[in-house]
Amino acid sequence: MYKKLDNDAWEEYLNKFNSVKDTITVKDFCAENNLNKSQFYYHKKRVEKAIESKEPVFQAISLNSKVDNTKENKSTLKEVKINVGNANILIPVSEATLITAIIKELILKC
């Protein structure tokens, strides 16, 4: 009997398959994970369509700040500050990969 999965579980399986798709067939992957091949293709198409139809989201950034950042000593700037709603994220400037990943995730979630 095949598993009944929610959308999040299907997305996890699809991501797992995408990471190994060069080494395994869909048929074998479905057999190993007790998945229905027809359902696999259905959810694969559904997720791909959702990704394609996602419109880019514009996030406004307020430049009117009461703090004059130009007067700060540049050697003291060690963090990137991201404020989204009530969330305040501080990331070390040296973590460029992490900053990029967070921005991409924010774009996908908005």
Side-chain angles (χ1 to χ4, degrees):
M1 179 112 187
Y2 295 114
K3 301 176 185 179
K4 183 169 180 154
L5 304 170
D6 62 7
N7 289 340
D8 291 336
W10 274 109
E11 287 185 34
E12 285 181 33
Y13 276 111
L14 292 169
N15 289 336
K16 183 178 175 182
F17 174 75
N18 285 334
S19 68
V20 297
K21 68 182 175 186
D22 295 335
T23 61
I24 192 169
T25 65
V26 172
K27 181 181 177 182
D28 291 339
F29 180 81
C30 289
E32 286 179 11
N33 292 284
N34 195 27
L35 301 172
N36 181 298
K37 193 167 92 170
S38 298
Q39 288 181 342
F40 178 87
Y41 281 117
Y42 168 80
H43 288 284
K44 183 176 185 294
K45 185 176 181 179
R46 179 187 57 79
V47 168
E48 288 171 351
K49 189 175 184 180
I51 291 171
E52 288 174 4
S53 68
K54 215 167 214 192
E55 295 280 330
V57 177
F58 176 77
Q59 180 66 43
I61 299 174
S62 175
L63 298 177
N64 298 330
S65 176
K66 293 180 182 178
V67 177
D68 185 4
N69 293 331
T70 59
K71 292 182 182 178
E72 291 184 34
N73 182 349
K74 294 199 187 272
S75 64
T76 63
L77 296 177
K78 297 178 183 175
E79 304 175 312
V80 172
K81 298 175 185 177
I82 301 173
N83 299 320
V84 179
N86 293 333
N88 298 316
I89 305 168
L90 300 174
I91 306 166
V93 173
S94 61
E95 297 291 334
T97 305
L98 178 61
I99 295 167
T100 303
I102 289 173
I103 291 171
K104 285 180 181 178
E105 285 296 319
L106 289 172
I107 289 169
L108 290 175
K109 299 293 180 189
C110 292

